[in-house]
Amino acid sequence: MRKTILLILLVAMFAAGAAAQSGRRGMKPPPPPPPEKLSEPPIVLPERTAVLPFELTVLPESVFKRQLKALDNGTFSLADFSGKIVVVNLWATWCGPCRREVPEYEKVRKAFAGRGVEFVGLTTEDPRTSYNRVKQFARDFNFGFRLGWADRETAVTLMKGRSAIPQTLVIAPDGRIIAHWRGYSPRQGGSQLRATLEGALAEASPAPQKLAR
């Protein structure tokens, strides 16, 4: 009798478990959450083309005649070199490319000695804090240019809004900017300055007159 009751209980428990499993399998899975609503794509406006400043073609008289403080505590102006082609190199002691450019420019300066070219080096540093450093740079690199300090107005005018250095300008005796380039390239450097000066001197020299027969 007990075996019969036990058997009935086991069969009942098995049936209940099977029904539960069947119920679970028959349940539908919960629906997936609704997709997240994406915001509208941002409106991208076309970038404005940077308006570059005009190239300087003639040195303003205010800068041409402006008195510049020399490294030796004197003063000079670019107008002092009337009748000469003037090379202006803008540089700084902290400028790595300047350190590579100066020795090449020094060779050009020596090659054009006595040929009507004045070489001027203007540092953009502050003379109140950089005087000793600039003096040491000039000694270390045998920088034989006429050295001076570029005040803010002079630097802004010569650089024409581009603060990268070094920069080099070659100025004709009449104040025209013959050439202006920025940066230093080992493939150009002194050779570019040399070629520019040769062309400027050839242009400045009067053509020989033919004798009348």
Side-chain angles (χ1 to χ4, degrees):
M1 183 67 180
R2 290 180 180 175
K3 292 182 178 180
T4 303
I5 295 173
L6 183 59
L7 182 60
I8 292 171
L9 289 174
L10 289 173
V11 170
M13 290 174 62
F14 177 79
Q21 291 292 335
S22 176
R24 279 196 293 269
R25 286 195 296 267
M27 291 177 60
K28 292 182 180 180
E36 183 180 355
K37 185 178 180 181
L38 299 177
S39 60
E40 295 182 1
I43 299 174
V44 180
L45 298 176
E47 295 183 1
R48 294 181 59 187
T49 303
V51 179
L52 298 178
F54 292 108
E55 291 292 339
L56 196 65
T57 56
V58 179
L59 199 65
E61 188 173 356
S62 59
V63 173
F64 192 59
K65 295 184 176 180
R66 190 176 185 83
Q67 290 297 312
L68 303 171
K69 184 178 180 181
L71 191 60
D72 61 5
N73 294 324
T75 61
F76 66 91
S77 73
L78 299 180
D80 293 342
F81 316 119
S82 177
K84 289 185 176 182
I85 293 170
V86 180
V87 175
V88 177
N89 180 234
L90 294 153
W91 65 283
T93 57
W94 47 260
C95 166
C98 299
R99 292 172 174 267
R100 297 190 291 273
E101 182 179 72
V102 167
E104 295 185 24
Y105 276 13
E106 264 300 294
K107 294 178 182 178
V108 178
R109 181 187 67 82
K110 294 175 181 177
F112 283 82
R115 297 185 60 185
V117 181
E118 186 71 27
F119 294 83
V120 177
L122 298 178
T123 178
T124 58
E125 295 165 272
D126 187 340
R128 296 169 297 181
T129 58
S130 304
Y131 178 79
N132 291 333
R133 186 163 57 247
V134 171
K135 289 281 286 187
Q136 186 63 48
F137 182 99
R139 286 194 295 267
D140 290 345
F141 288 86
N142 297 313
F143 203 0
F145 281 37
R146 185 183 298 270
L147 298 178
W149 306 90
D151 58 79
R152 177 174 175 76
E153 180 182 345
T154 301
V156 168
T157 302
L158 294 178
M159 291 180 165
K160 205 57 181 172
R162 297 175 175 89
S163 57
I165 56 173
Q167 293 194 32
T168 303
L169 297 93
V170 180
I171 306 169
D174 60 2
R176 287 181 300 109
I177 307 299
I178 299 172
H180 182 188
W181 60 86
R182 302 167 184 85
Y184 164 78
S185 169
R187 296 186 299 272
Q188 296 174 320
S191 61
Q192 181 176 6
L193 179 58
R194 188 185 301 269
T196 302
L197 289 177
E198 290 289 2
L201 289 170
E203 181 183 347
S205 300
Q209 297 180 355
K210 295 182 178 180
L211 298 177
R213 293 183 179 179

